[in-house]
Amino acid sequence: MVIPVHDVNPVRRTPYVTYALIAANIVVFLLTPGVAGSVVGQSDLSQLCHLHAFLEHYAAVPRELIHDQFPRLVPTGDVGIGPNGPGCVVGPPDYQKSPPVSVLTAMFLHGSWLHLLGNMLFLLIFGNNIEDRLGHIRFALFYVACGYAAAYGFAVLNSNSGDPLIGASGAIAGVLGAYLVLYPRVRVWILVPFLLFLPLRLPAWVVLGFWFVLQALYSSGAGVSQAGTVAYAAHVVGFLVGMALAWPLRPGTPPPPEARGMRWGRQARPGW
């Protein structure tokens, strides 16, 4: 795909909610059991068992969201010795899980540094302008609404799945959909990995449109050997919901200034 680096679209106010979301995601990731192993590229069995127990408790699960069905046995976080050797101990859950609440907690969980940093990069570049357009409170509500729509949309399409659904991708996809509606002509600097990280400056409708088409193709199983590890359908739903919520604001959105170079923040607009 492509890696966004910067958009030439200055903001009028500091995007406190965007910064707070990024900080919260990073803090939760660092506090997630088993993350220490992912930093150095390896995890021992104890860390993996704690991670599985943590995700079972706090991740969203389609079968739970749609059918309100919960497993009788879940990982406890302990390590035991079974007939086939060491493994994670399972037992009856000692907690009451709320599926709607799990959607919110799942938005702040990530499976790896690459997963986290990729999401936060897109949120940092595109989220500040959506927050600037909506305002702090409305942007926070918009973000959460897109995340819930993405999670439940994915769950409807995979209602019998017991795999945990984690990540901020669905909510951030909503941000991208809103950006496409409100700022389609804004120039975005990107790096293209398969072209030896060649930098290009393209309109947002090209960058985000290409991103959405890829997600739609991947969600149908085209071009991927294993679609089960990434919830592409959640990206598609979140993107479309973000577009729909932003559409009424399109007529009153002022156009961005004409780009004259790669400048950052308020420096991109003289006198700010």
Side-chain angles (χ1 to χ4, degrees), residues 1-209:
M1 295 182 61
V2 297
I3 303 174
V5 177
H6 172 63
D7 65 331
V8 188
N9 193 7
V11 296
R12 298 168 297 173
R13 47 192 154 191
T14 303
Y16 293 114
V17 175
T18 298
Y19 293 158
L21 288 171
I22 293 173
N25 276 276
I26 293 174
V27 170
V28 170
F29 182 74
L30 293 176
L31 295 177
T32 300
V35 73
S38 69
V39 175
V40 298
Q42 60 182 2
S43 297
D44 59 30
L45 182 58
S46 176
Q47 289 176 321
L48 290 176
C49 291
H50 277 90
L51 177 60
H52 290 164
F54 184 83
L55 294 181
E56 187 67 42
H57 190 177
Y58 294 105
V61 178
R63 186 166 53 202
E64 297 172 358
L65 296 179
I66 302 302
H67 302 299
D68 209 31
Q69 295 178 352
F70 301 90
R72 294 186 301 105
L73 300 176
V74 298
T76 64
D78 298 323
V79 177
I81 305 295
N84 298 320
C88 299
V89 176
V90 297
D94 59 357
Y95 52 83
Q96 293 290 329
K97 185 176 182 180
S98 170
V101 173
S102 72
V103 175
L104 181 62
T105 56
M107 290 185 207
F108 295 90
L109 302 178
H110 292 83
S112 67
W113 278 103
L114 183 61
H115 187 199
L116 171 71
L117 296 178
N119 277 343
M120 296 304 101
L121 176 63
F122 275 83
L123 179 58
L124 177 64
I125 292 175
F126 299 106
N128 60 345
N129 292 109
I130 304 305
E131 180 178 351
D132 189 53
R133 181 67 181 89
L134 297 179
H136 305 307
I137 301 300
R138 286 203 300 175
F139 175 71
L141 295 175
F142 168 87
Y143 182 91
V144 172
C146 290
Y148 267 86
Y152 273 96
F154 179 84
V156 168
L157 298 174
N158 302 270
S159 60
N160 294 320
S161 173
D163 296 330
L165 180 65
I166 61 174
S169 305
I172 295 172
V175 172
L176 303 185
Y179 199 100
L180 178 62
V181 168
L182 299 177
Y183 307 106
R185 294 185 176 86
V186 166
R187 298 288 175 169
V188 179
W189 283 96
I190 63 170
L191 299 178
V192 185
F194 63 85
L195 294 178
L196 301 178
F197 293 93
L198 175 70
L200 297 174
R201 192 177 73 176
L202 300 174
W205 69 267
V206 173
V207 177
L208 299 180

Side-chain angles (χ1 to χ4, degrees), residues 227-242:
T229 57
V230 179
Y232 292 110
H235 301 174
V236 172
V237 174
F239 192 93
L240 294 176
V241 170

